[in-house]
Structure formats: C-alpha cells, structure tokens
Amino acid sequence: MDLFIIDFLSKYRYIESLPSLKFLILIDTGYTYLYIRMLRAPSLYGVGHDALKDDPLLQQRRKDLIHTAALTLDKNNLIKYDKKTGQIQSTELGRIASHYYCTNETIATYNQLLKPTLSEIELFRVFSLSSEFKHLTVREVECGFLLHV
C-alpha cells in the first residue's frame, strides 16, 4: 500500500464535506501524480494489462487504494469510515493530525505507545519516534555535544 495515498487522505482538511468515498475517487485521485504514473506504467503499480483493458480509467484500482487507505486511517482513529456506504467522517484526532501535518505512521506510534502514566523522559522518547524525524541526521559537530548531555 502506497503511504502517499494514506497521507493524502489524512491531510484532506475538509473531509467532513465529502459526500462519499466515490466522490473522492472520481474527483481527487484523478489528478494525482500516482494516477498519471499508473496510467503510463500500469505494470509497475500492480495493474495487469487485462485490468487496464476492462477499466481504462483505473476507477476500481483507485477505489481499492482509497478503501485500503480509509481502513488504515479508521484503524488509527483519524477518520470514521463506513465500509458499507463509503461515508467518511473526520475525527478530532484526524483534524489535529491534518493541521500539524502528522503522518499516519506517527499517529499509529502515538496510539500504541502514549499512556497517561508516562514520565517526561518516556514522553520525549515516544515523540522522538515520530516518523517526521526519521530523515533528520546528527551533524558531526553535534556528536561531541550529545555525548556530554
């Protein structure tokens, strides 16, 4: 599952205004880089030649991707997703995560590790596991300083 789709859906600020999953699939994902790449190189994205013939606009593939992303976000309490009707409803946690650009991976970590009884040092350890920090590197000049801290 492409994490881009999950983060794309979680960053959708006005998710409560979406009438359904069908609206999101037909309107928004048709203009993404992923969709254009899937049309140009379908085999790289798991779309077979027969599937492309049956569904040239890849509506079913987009529906599957968005459905999987919605299930993941629902599992992490970022949205409420009704599988039967396709209705999507935002949650307070989802709005906060969207506002502060927290990824789904970060929220999953917080949901798993945050407890009301954590000490301050444990709380900092949990926050340091945020996926937003994984690409930060420690500079050479900071290594000596960190050893003394």
Side-chain angles (χ1 to χ4, degrees), residues 89-108:
Q89 187 177 22
S90 64
T91 63
E92 190 64 30
L93 179 60
R95 285 189 286 275
I96 292 168
S98 173
H99 182 75
Y100 290 104
Y101 300 98
C102 295
T103 64
N104 175 62
E105 187 180 343
T106 295
I107 298 300

Side-chain angles (χ1 to χ4, degrees), residues 113-120 122-123:
L113 300 176
L114 283 179
K115 307 283 186 255
T117 58
L118 290 179
S119 67
E120 280 186 29
E122 292 170 325
L123 188 61

